Amino acid sequence: MTQCIMADVIDYFALRRLNAVKLTDKDSLETMSQRNPCLWRQLPQSSQSPCDRYKHACCSYSGSVYVLGGRETSTLRDFWKYSVVHNEWTELNCSGEAAPEELEEHSMVAHEGFLYVFGGMLDSAYTRCRCALWVFDVVKQRWVCFQGKTSSSQIPTNRKGHSAVVVGSTMLMYGGFVDIKGSSQDFWSLNFDTKAWSLLSGSQGSLGPGPRHSHSAAAYQSCMYVFGGLRGLQEQRDLWKWSSTNNMWTKLKNKSGPPRLVGHSAVTYRDSMLLFGGGESQNSISSCLWRFSFSTQTWVQLATLSDSNPPDKIHHCCAGLGLSYQSCTSSPPTSSALKPRLLDTKLRPFKNRCFPAPLTYLGSEVAIELETFSPDKRYSGGSSGVEGGADPQLISSCLTFKNQAFRKQWSCTEEELPGEEEEEEEVEVEDINHHLPDLLLVLGGRPYTKHSPISMWQMTLIDS
């Protein structure tokens, strides 16, 4: 049966545990409440899954997380889809003329039913593609040719370690490492509607973040935010804001923000940006989670519950799931295949019933009865090979629940789900995806384990 990893249950678990925390003074309590502590949990991957890796790309779309390429012992050419609802991986086709080659330090963004992948190679005589842009059709589940409307002189060159975000119907791409030229400060936009590239600012510009790679970026409303990275050989800790309204860069104050970082990740969460991991070097890796408020333009380092330890990661990927992580810069998908079906003209959220009970090994009176669902396959090793096998011992578990929306998705007996209506048996996955609980997934990164399933962590933020 499929292992249940429902994060809305985790939120409930975390809130109950937070109430049980005993602090020695009033100031400590106030500090923890102000910093919205978070709960971390590792998710063992025991079914078919990609190998552990770093310098890969990932993005979430319509309740799934897509992972492409990266490095293990060498550069990888594989493409995977993770279904959050079913908690299972599916390897997708990554061959053919329209598919990318082996990539690392590339970018991947989603927009209205398509995934856009850029970069991951350096230009050479062996580079086959004229423009390092690949497009994946989510509905048809295949790579498609991108026919741009711009001349070859008006397209960005291949690069690594750049950043890309979606603002409206445009992909904004900044910086990157370009062959022997080193770090670039080129700032490009790709209009999804016209399929035309535009150079917003080139290598001669003096305003803006300047040449850099291995930085992070996030989008909010009509703006792009760029933090840190390498400028030449020097790590940075500056924060910049690009406004698509007035086409200007603004350097923001960062006195109380993160230290110098490279290889970190950033995602938009509600009206703020979450920044995780990275390091000043490969030997000084961070596990800190920072939150930047777009409205107040202030940083806060988020606290972690005492027995919830985040991983030290660099060159990893982060993907946000749930409404709080949906960017307000993008339009909803227009494809009929991606639109959720309405039940009685109203979307129906999860309907879970949880059963708290003492659990002595947690060392707290606030505990919950847990039930473990074991998958029937496990990772067999190798860079991407998988095969069936005996179940390993699982350390992950979830709340016992009666879920009226998951009869077909989860392996439950009729006795466990009494009195269900036939209509609710036919709830489509798109309906469920629309109501996914808020969670952040951290996938891969260094340090990594060779010939092992991809490292996967889940973070639930407890907002006040």
Side-chain angles (χ1 to χ4, degrees), residues 65-293:
V65 177
Y66 294 83
V67 175
L68 175 67
R71 288 192 67 87
E72 192 206 27
T73 55
S74 61
T75 310
L76 300 169
R77 186 186 186 183
D78 58 350
F79 187 37
W80 294 81
K81 173 184 176 182
Y82 175 70
S83 171
V84 179
V85 171
H86 295 86
N87 184 31
E88 61 185 24
W89 289 93
T90 302
E91 185 168 12
L92 305 176
N93 181 41
C94 197
S95 60
E97 289 296 322
E101 304 175 51
E102 295 85 354
L103 302 178
E104 59 177 293
E105 296 187 87
H106 45 296
S107 62
M108 179 163 57
V109 299
H111 180 72
E112 294 190 354
F114 293 91
L115 307 182
Y116 295 84
V117 177
F118 188 88
M121 299 186 296
L122 299 180
D123 278 331
S124 68
Y126 301 99
T127 302
R128 292 188 303 153
C129 54
R130 298 177 60 185
C131 178
L133 178 69
W134 299 272
V135 181
F136 182 76
D137 189 321
V138 175
V139 177
K140 297 180 181 179
Q141 292 287 286
R142 63 182 179 88
W143 295 95
V144 296
C145 294
F146 179 82
Q147 301 295 332
K149 297 183 179 180
T150 310
S151 64
S152 59
S153 61
Q154 286 297 316
I155 59 176
T157 57
N158 244 310
R159 62 196 63 212
K160 295 181 178 181
H162 56 283
S163 61
V165 299
V166 175
V167 175
S169 60
T170 302
M171 180 178 77
L172 299 178
M173 187 181 71
Y174 189 85
F177 189 87
V178 183
D179 56 59
I180 60 175
K181 300 176 183 178
S183 297
S184 168
Q185 61 180 345
D186 289 351
F187 187 30
W188 290 86
S189 69
L190 172 64
N191 189 299
F192 294 126
D193 298 329
T194 64
K195 299 182 179 181
W197 287 96
S198 299
L199 182 61
L200 301 179
S201 61
S203 58
Q204 304 302 319
S206 58
L207 300 177
R212 69 184 61 208
H213 66 280
S214 294
H215 53 284
S216 66
Y220 179 70
Q221 294 180 350
S222 61
C223 299
M224 176 183 185
Y225 294 79
V226 173
F227 178 85
L230 275 171
R231 186 167 183 172
L233 298 177
Q234 182 63 49
E235 298 83 3
Q236 304 295 315
R237 65 180 299 268
D238 50 347
L239 177 64
W240 291 82
K241 169 186 173 182
W242 166 265
S243 172
S244 296
T245 304
N246 54 24
N247 294 332
M248 290 182 58
W249 284 104
T250 303
K251 187 176 182 180
L252 305 179
K253 295 180 180 179
N254 191 35
K255 292 183 178 180
S256 59
R260 301 177 186 271
L261 290 176
V262 298
H264 51 291
S265 59
V267 297
T268 301
Y269 175 79
R270 298 184 181 176
D271 61 347
S272 61
M273 175 177 67
L274 298 181
L275 190 148
F276 175 73
E280 191 167 349
S281 70
Q282 300 289 342
N283 299 321
S284 60
I285 303 177
S286 172
S287 62
C288 294
L289 179 64
W290 293 83
R291 184 172 184 173
F292 176 77
S293 170

Side-chain angles (χ1 to χ4, degrees), residues 352-413:
N352 296 326
R353 281 180 280 177
C354 304
F355 305 93
L359 200 60
T360 56
Y361 65 81
L362 289 178
S364 170
E365 295 179 358
V366 181
I368 299 177
E369 179 183 353
L370 303 175
E371 181 177 339
T372 301
F373 298 87
S374 301
D376 56 4
K377 294 182 180 179
R378 64 183 176 90
Y379 181 86
S380 64
S383 62
S384 63
V386 290
E387 63 184 33
D391 292 340
Q393 182 179 1
L394 299 179
I395 62 172
S396 182
S397 53
C398 68
L399 279 169
T400 303
F401 65 91
K402 295 182 179 180
N403 192 324
Q404 297 179 353
F406 274 69
R407 180 191 294 270
K408 289 191 175 182
Q409 280 70 30
W410 303 112
S411 300
C412 300
T413 64

